[in-house]
Amino acid sequence: IMGKTALTIDVEENEIIFSKDMDRRMYPASTTKLVTAILLAKNKKREDTLTYSEHAKASHPYNLDLEVGAEIHAEYAMDALLLFSANDISCMIAENIDITIEQFSYHMNHYAKELGLKNSHFVNPSGLHSTKHFSSAYDLSVIARDLYNYPWIMETLGKKESIIHINNTIENNTIKIKNRNKMVMQKGCIGGKTGWTPE
């Protein structure tokens, strides 16, 4: 295992099979979006409409780069969040649930506290780098286990691709995206979330 930290768990037995420095605080990058997805599933229905803001448009790539004021259903926001790992869509989700990123981050940390996570703290919904934004292999495994309680998320994580339908746009009203997680449907992988930053 070349990674600095790692963990393998039997979900049904709640048994650790392999671990390597599993409580070490690390930068979770876009695996953060699993928490954002859970809060989306908790607060919105698939058919609910989300509106795209100027703040979302100003997000760092990867982005869908929609028109300000464009609307998409939460179902497509979930696809863009977990398959394409769109940072602008994570911002849009946060703003449509809590108005500000700060308020949404508060709810991310409240969720982490509910799960009993001791080595996680979140300051944004996308995983863009901040020294105040961290998690651990163990904490991420607890979050990943909680995903099984959300069929909508599990279904999304297993998709190879999706077509995003956009409302209120002048030009293209659909965007085709592919899952950036190349492991899906390979060697038994039923889904997951990848993440990377230079840090």
Side-chain angles (χ1 to χ4, degrees):
I1 303 294
M2 297 181 68
K4 293 178 181 178
T5 72
L7 186 65
T8 304
I9 283 185
D10 182 319
V11 176
E12 291 181 359
E13 300 296 329
N14 197 25
E15 178 186 358
I16 295 174
I17 298 169
F18 172 84
S19 69
K20 179 180 178 181
D21 213 359
M22 67 180 186
D23 292 317
R24 180 177 174 181
R25 291 180 175 181
M26 303 288 286
Y27 303 128
S30 283
T31 58
T32 298
K33 294 184 174 85
L34 294 175
V35 178
T36 303
I38 287 170
L39 292 183
L40 175 61
K42 280 176 174 282
N43 288 280
K44 299 290 183 181
K45 298 176 181 176
R46 294 183 190 222
E47 64 272 16
D48 287 347
T49 298
L50 308 182
T51 305
Y52 193 83
S53 71
E54 289 185 14
H55 188 214
K57 194 170 183 67
S59 299
H60 296 286
Y62 295 111
N63 290 345
L64 289 190
D65 195 25
L66 307 181
E67 296 172 9
V68 173
E71 297 177 342
I72 63 175
H73 287 158
E75 177 178 5
Y76 302 124
M78 186 74 83
D79 287 355
L81 178 75
L82 296 179
L83 305 186
F84 190 69
S85 203
N87 291 328
D88 56 345
I89 299 303
S90 67
C91 178
M92 181 187 71
I93 290 168
E95 291 179 330
N96 278 264
I97 292 174
D98 274 318
I99 301 177
T100 69
I101 299 299
E102 291 75 20
Q103 287 175 311
F104 188 78
S105 298
Y106 170 83
H107 285 108
M108 295 176 80
N109 291 313
H110 180 73
Y111 165 75
K113 188 176 181 181
E114 285 182 330
L115 291 183
L117 307 185
K118 300 191 183 330
N119 292 297
S120 293
H121 185 260
F122 305 105
V123 298
N124 65 65
S126 63
L128 289 172
H129 180 69
S130 166
T131 56
K132 297 178 181 178
H133 189 101
F134 51 81
S135 190
S136 68
Y138 176 78
D139 284 5
L140 287 173
S141 80
V142 176
I143 293 166
R145 270 181 286 166
D146 194 34
L147 298 175
Y148 285 88
N149 295 314
Y150 301 91
W152 176 13
I153 298 176
M154 293 301 294
E155 175 189 320
T156 303
L157 288 172
K159 294 179 180 179
K160 294 287 283 184
E161 60 185 26
S162 176
I163 296 177
I164 308 297
H165 295 265
I166 307 158
N167 304 330
N168 300 346
T169 56
I170 300 170
E171 299 177 0
N172 296 332
N173 60 356
T174 61
I175 300 173
K176 185 174 182 178
I177 59 171
K178 293 187 177 181
N179 196 333
R180 292 184 181 279
N181 184 357
K182 304 301 182 187
M183 293 176 61
V184 172
M185 297 185 186
Q186 302 290 324
K187 299 181 180 179
C189 177
I190 62 170
K193 183 75 191 75
T194 59
W196 182 89
T197 66
E199 296 81 9

